[in-house]
Amino acid sequence: MEKKGPYTVRELKNLSPGTQFWGKYLILGKNLRKTRDGREIIDLRIGDSTGEIYSIVWDSCTVNGQLEPGVVIGLLGDIGTYNQRQQVTAKRIKILEEEAGPYLRKPEVSLEELIGEFEQTLQSITDPYLKELLQRVFNPEIRKRFFQAPAAKKIHHNYYGGLLEHSLSVAGLCNKVAESYLDINRDLLLTGALLHDIGKLSEFEMDVAPNYTAEGRLLGHIVLGSELVADKIKDMKNEGIEFPAELEWMLKHLLVSHHGSLEFGSPVLPLFTEAYILYAMDNLDARIYVFQNKIEEDDSDDKYFSKYDSFYGQHFFTYRY
């Protein structure tokens, strides 16, 4: 029996083109433009806790209220495709007096569980210099921001709590690798995992969706993160607390080399084992997220392959045995 509604975004992506539906969604982004013949069009990026999708609002659509990012709407529309991308054509829209929180995407695991895992990882660091540094970096103000921040604007973990989720996943992968090889400095590696994206606290600002700050666009999270760590180490030294120079070099190197190549934004290549492991595990976690997300959000009619993804330059095999 066909569902009457409301439809979640995840459910929308399984509907056939031309299907009419209704649902409640959060406006994540808005762009106003005109067609060649002068008709006004509003492009909306809408979403809920299950995902996001684009909607086109023609001048013939009945709109009750002002369409702005952060507003929850009730929407009646049709599913269609444009330029090989699934989209919604809105027929009627009404602004709803509802809070945005329930419509925001969040990690699959509860934030409380992630925070507990973060505290355990932090407590497992025994090196006295790194332990002191981590306590200073993750002061109460930074912790609050770190627990809520996204890990990216679009590609992976781009939602509330995404940075915490991603950092813990990378730390967990690094810990498993450290257990499998001799002479790995686990404390250094895990400290790098927890701090590798700390600059994203300044690179992004979070409203209903992640957006770059001016500072973030000018400097990027690699520079911002390295500067933050350098400042905290400088504070320690000014207070007469020792921090070995070689350890400072190596920790900073973990941060600045974690993208793995000049092409992807790192000013230097990973030059020692722990740096390479961090780069590899960071890349692995982001890639696994992409593959799983492509399978989950696939709207292709093909049984085995997704539609061609122009960003990654490939199809994804979506069948699960």
Side-chain angles (χ1 to χ4, degrees):
M1 190 171 87
E2 187 175 347
K3 179 177 177 178
K4 300 294 184 182
Y7 280 84
T8 66
V9 169
R10 182 176 296 166
E11 290 170 334
L12 290 184
K13 294 184 176 182
N14 292 318
L15 296 179
S16 302
T19 304
Q20 188 172 89
F21 69 92
W22 79 274
K24 298 193 290 185
Y25 312 101
L26 178 67
I27 298 179
L28 301 172
K30 172 186 173 183
N31 180 50
L32 182 64
R33 60 187 174 92
K34 287 189 176 182
T35 62
R36 292 178 181 177
D37 59 1
R39 293 182 67 186
E40 287 194 346
I41 300 175
I42 301 174
D43 290 320
L44 294 180
R45 186 161 58 91
I46 60 175
D48 59 20
S49 61
T50 69
E52 59 183 61
I53 195 169
Y54 285 89
S55 175
I56 185 167
V57 184
W58 293 92
D59 51 12
S60 58
C61 176
T62 302
V63 179
N64 181 3
Q66 189 67 29
L67 301 179
E68 296 295 343
V71 168
V72 177
I73 59 172
L75 183 149
L76 176 70
D78 297 332
I79 278 289
T81 57
Y82 179 72
N83 281 345
Q84 295 187 324
R85 184 182 73 181
Q86 198 173 32
Q87 72 172 21
V88 169
T89 299
K91 300 297 185 183
R92 288 206 307 268
I93 297 177
K94 181 180 180 179
I95 306 302
L96 304 177
E97 296 296 326
E98 294 192 25
E99 294 294 323
Y103 295 89
L104 294 170
R105 188 171 180 182
K106 299 177 179 67
E108 295 291 335
V109 178
S110 72
L111 187 59
E112 291 73 21
E113 189 173 336
L114 290 174
I115 291 173
E117 185 182 339
F118 170 81
E119 297 294 350
Q120 288 181 347
T121 305
L122 211 61
Q123 292 303 316
S124 74
I125 305 296
T126 58
D127 182 281
Y129 308 111
L130 295 175
K131 196 174 187 71
E132 175 68 22
L133 174 64
L134 285 168
Q135 291 299 327
R136 288 170 175 261
V137 170
F138 290 109
N139 60 41
E141 190 273 331
I142 290 182
R143 279 185 191 220
K144 182 178 179 181
R145 292 167 56 200
F146 185 74
F147 294 160
Q148 297 176 348
K153 180 173 172 63
K154 287 185 179 180
I155 297 174
H156 70 95
H157 301 88
N158 58 329
Y159 43 77
Y160 277 96
L163 180 58
L164 174 62
E165 183 182 39
H166 169 61
S167 299
L168 288 174
S169 182
V170 173
L173 290 168
C174 285
N175 192 48
K176 291 184 188 306
V177 174
E179 291 173 350
S180 302
Y181 294 90
L182 297 174
D183 299 324
I184 301 298
N185 187 324
R186 177 191 177 275
D187 281 2
L188 175 62
L189 180 57
L190 262 63
T191 299
L194 292 176
L195 295 177
H196 78 284
D197 276 346
I198 195 70
K200 289 183 176 180
L201 296 183
S202 298
E203 185 178 33
F204 297 115
E205 57 187 357
M206 191 73 177
D207 189 6
V208 293
N211 286 301
Y212 285 103
T213 62
E215 184 181 28
R217 292 177 67 180
L218 288 169
L219 300 177
H221 73 276
I222 288 178
V223 170
L224 293 169
S226 180
E227 287 181 344
L228 174 63
V229 169
D231 288 343
K232 297 299 181 182
I233 293 175
K234 184 178 179 181
D235 289 343
M236 290 173 63
K237 291 179 177 178
N238 288 340
E239 295 173 25
I241 301 173
E242 182 184 358
F243 199 96
E246 294 85 354
L247 182 60
E248 180 177 358
W249 302 339
M250 295 178 77
L251 180 58
K252 288 179 182 176
H253 181 77
L254 285 173
L255 269 63
V256 299
S257 67
H258 81 266
H259 277 196
S261 68
L262 309 183
E263 177 187 1
F264 293 111
S266 278
V268 292
L269 303 178
L271 296 180
F272 55 87
T273 310
E274 290 83 358
Y276 184 81
I277 294 171
L278 177 58
Y279 149 67
M281 295 305 100
D282 177 46
N283 188 53
L284 177 63
D285 185 56
R287 287 287 178 173
I288 288 176
Y289 177 94
V290 169
F291 273 83
Q292 290 181 327
N293 208 51
K294 290 297 178 184
I295 292 170
E296 184 178 306
E297 295 191 352
D298 179 50
D299 60 349
S300 172
D301 294 329
D302 193 299
K303 180 180 178 182
Y304 296 111
F305 292 95
S306 72
K307 294 175 182 176
Y308 181 77
D309 191 304
S310 58
F311 183 86
Y312 292 100
Q314 67 175 80
H315 297 274
F316 289 84
F317 184 71
T318 57
Y319 178 80
R320 301 301 292 164
Y321 176 73

